[in-house]
Amino acid sequence: MKKTSELLILFIIGGLVYNGLELMWRGYSHWTMSILGGLSFIIIGLINEVVDKKMLIQKQMFLGCIVITSVELLCGMICNYWLKMNIWDYSNLPFNLYGQICLYSSILWYFLSLFAIWLDDICMLVLFKRPFPKYRIK
């Protein structure tokens, strides 16, 4: 299991990467996206350790998609809906929920989850000297 210091480092990495991706994609970001990215990155990294070490990579990606979409909904409902910060709005996209999440983004999160899984494993190897896992692909 990951230690508190490891979780903090991974939280920072996840937040920075998420912000970087958003800057490249949209051209701007918001500080709350660092929290969203850090939290999502930690949970995705814990999936392989807590749920099942022999899980198919596609299933890990699906769970990663669910994690990011859920954290995005939670953050959106707090920041955008409740606090009226207006950080993002998916209302103009089909299959959205309250303008906070949408199918299009969830599909993107599925594929980006592979990067998050891989980055977590690289961090665990390089920073914390943990063995690199073997991925199961069906």
Side-chain angles (χ1 to χ4, degrees):
M1 193 64 159
K2 295 176 184 170
K3 298 179 227 170
T4 304
S5 59
E6 292 175 355
L7 292 173
L8 179 60
I9 291 167
L10 294 171
F11 180 86
I12 293 167
I13 290 170
L16 290 172
V17 169
Y18 195 99
N19 255 324
L21 289 171
E22 199 165 57
L23 284 171
M24 288 188 307
W25 185 263
R26 297 190 323 163
Y28 63 94
S29 190
H30 191 270
W31 65 268
T32 56
M33 299 300 96
S34 295
I35 296 169
L36 193 153
L39 184 59
S40 296
F41 188 59
I42 285 174
I43 297 170
I44 288 169
L46 289 172
I47 288 171
N48 196 30
E49 291 184 30
V50 176
V51 179
D52 181 5
K53 292 185 184 277
K54 295 179 182 177
M55 184 184 306
L56 291 172
I57 193 73
Q58 297 92 326
K59 187 172 181 182
Q60 287 183 43
M61 291 167 62
F62 179 74
L63 290 175
C65 164
I66 298 298
V67 164
I68 298 171
T69 301
S70 299
V71 172
E72 186 178 38
L73 177 61
L74 177 65
C75 182
M77 294 307 288
I78 292 169
C79 294
N80 295 329
Y81 200 74
W82 184 41
L83 297 175
K84 309 279 189 235
M85 295 173 79
N86 299 319
I87 301 165
W88 72 86
D89 185 0
Y90 296 137
S91 294
N92 61 336
L93 296 174
F95 306 108
N96 75 80
L97 182 62
Y98 305 116
Q100 304 310 303
I101 58 172
C102 68
L103 181 60
Y104 169 78
S105 291
S106 292
I107 292 169
L108 180 64
W109 300 142
Y110 173 80
F111 292 104
L112 285 175
S113 289
L114 180 61
F115 174 72
I117 293 163
W118 176 79
L119 181 59
D120 177 73
D121 291 337
I122 292 290
C123 288
M124 296 309 289
L125 174 70
V126 173
L127 299 175
F128 310 120
K129 308 300 183 218
R130 302 270 178 81
F132 196 79
K134 293 182 180 181
Y135 301 118
R136 292 191 57 225
I137 300 171
K138 189 172 183 180

